[in-house]
C-alpha cells in the first residue's frame, strides 16, 4: 500500500505480516490468508471478499478521557455505542484514537486496525475488548497488519495469540 504524505509513520519496531505469520506458526496457530485489493471500510471489504466464510470483523482503536487506550474487536455489523461501552468498561468518555497514536502504539495505518497488531511491543498499554458474539463464529477474519489481505483464525487461536502477546482480553456483549 502506498502511504500518502499525511499518513503517520509507523513505529520503527512495527511487525510485518511475515513476522506475524512466523509468530502464529511458532505458537502452533493455524491461519489461512487471502490476498485482495486494499480496503478501508467494512463496505469495501464486503464488496471484495465474495464468499469468504466466517465472522467478518472490525476493530476500533479508542482512547478514554484518562488517556487509557482500548482495542475493541467486534463483528462488522455490530453497532457500538461508545457512551454505553464506556459504562460497561467503567472508562471515561471514549473517542477514536488519532491515526498518529494508532501508528505509534499499534504499528498499523488507518484501515488496518486489527487484533494482530498486539504483536507489537508498543501495544502493551492497550486494553483489549472482544465481543462475546464474535467468538461464536469460526473462523474469524482480520487484516494481518495490512489491509490488502484477510487472515482467518479460529476464536481459540485468536485468544491464544492475544494472551501470548501479554494481554488478557475482556469479553463483553456489545
Amino acid at each position: 500500500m502506498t502511504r500518502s504524505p499525511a499518513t503517520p509513520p509507523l513505529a520503527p519496531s512495527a511487525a510485518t505480516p511475515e513476522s506475524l505469520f512466523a509468530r502464529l506458526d511458532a505458537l502452533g496457530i493455524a491461519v489461512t490468508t487471502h490476498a485482495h485489493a486494499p480496503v478501508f471500510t467494512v463496505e469495501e471489504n464486503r464488496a471484495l471478499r465474495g464468499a469468504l466464510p466466517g465472522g467478518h470483523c472490525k476493530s476500533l482503536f479508542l482512547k478514554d478521557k484518562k488517556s487509557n487506550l482500548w482495542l475493541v474487536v467486534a463483528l462488522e455489523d455490530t453497532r457500538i455505542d461508545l457512551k454505553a461501552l464506556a459504562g460497561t468498561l467503567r472508562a471515561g468518555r471514549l473517542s477514536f484514537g488519532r491515526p498518529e497514536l494508532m501508528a505509534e502504539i499499534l504499528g498499523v495505518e488507518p484501515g488496518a486496525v486489527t487484533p494482530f497488531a498486539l504483536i507489537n511491543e508498543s501495544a502493551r498499554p492497550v486494553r483489549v475488548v472482544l465481543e462475546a458474539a464474535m467468538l461464536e463464529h469460526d473462523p474469524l477474519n482480520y487484516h494481518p497488519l495490512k489491509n490488502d489481505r484477510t487472515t482467518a483464525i479460529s476464536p481459540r487461536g485468536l485468544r491464544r495469540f492475544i494472551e501470548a502477546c501479554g494481554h488478557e482480553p475482556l469479553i463483553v456483549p456489545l
Side-chain angles (χ1 to χ4, degrees):
M1 177 175 146
T2 305
R3 193 184 345 250
S4 72
T7 304
L10 299 180
S13 62
T16 64
E18 293 71 25
S19 61
L20 168 67
F21 298 141
R23 176 76 182 274
L24 290 164
D25 189 52
L27 291 168
I29 300 172
V31 297
T32 303
T33 300
H34 304 274
H36 52 71
V39 294
F40 295 90
T41 66
V42 168
E43 291 75 26
E44 289 176 347
N45 193 26
R46 278 189 186 121
L48 279 178
R49 73 171 173 242
L52 194 62
H56 296 276
C57 306
K58 62 184 174 186
S59 300
L60 307 177
F61 179 64
L62 305 173
K63 182 178 173 184
D64 68 22
K65 68 179 185 176
K66 293 183 180 179
S67 296
N68 294 310
L69 302 175
W70 302 86
L71 180 64
V72 178
V73 187
L75 291 169
E76 67 183 4
D77 292 328
T78 299
R79 183 180 174 280
I80 299 176
D81 177 332
L82 294 183
K83 185 175 181 180
L85 180 59
T88 299
L89 300 176
R90 296 185 180 148
R93 187 181 64 98
L94 293 169
S95 61
F96 289 93
R98 293 181 338 273
E100 300 83 10
L101 183 61
M102 180 175 56
E104 175 188 339
I105 301 297
L106 293 180
V108 294
E109 298 175 346
V113 182
T114 172
F116 291 134
L118 298 170
I119 192 173
N120 292 311
E121 188 67 30
S122 53
R124 290 277 183 222
V126 176
R127 297 176 184 179
V128 181
V129 179
L130 303 178
E131 177 188 22
M134 175 188 71
L135 296 174
E136 296 172 12
H137 293 262
D138 192 358
L140 296 167
N141 294 288
Y142 307 101
H143 294 305
L145 308 174
K146 300 284 184 186
N147 62 351
D148 63 352
R149 50 200 119 164
T150 297
T151 295
I153 186 172
S154 70
R156 183 176 179 192
L158 176 68
R159 290 188 61 186
R160 186 161 172 229
F161 171 77
I162 291 170
E163 291 167 0
C165 290
H167 296 269
E168 182 62 39
L170 179 61
I171 299 169
V172 299
L174 295 175

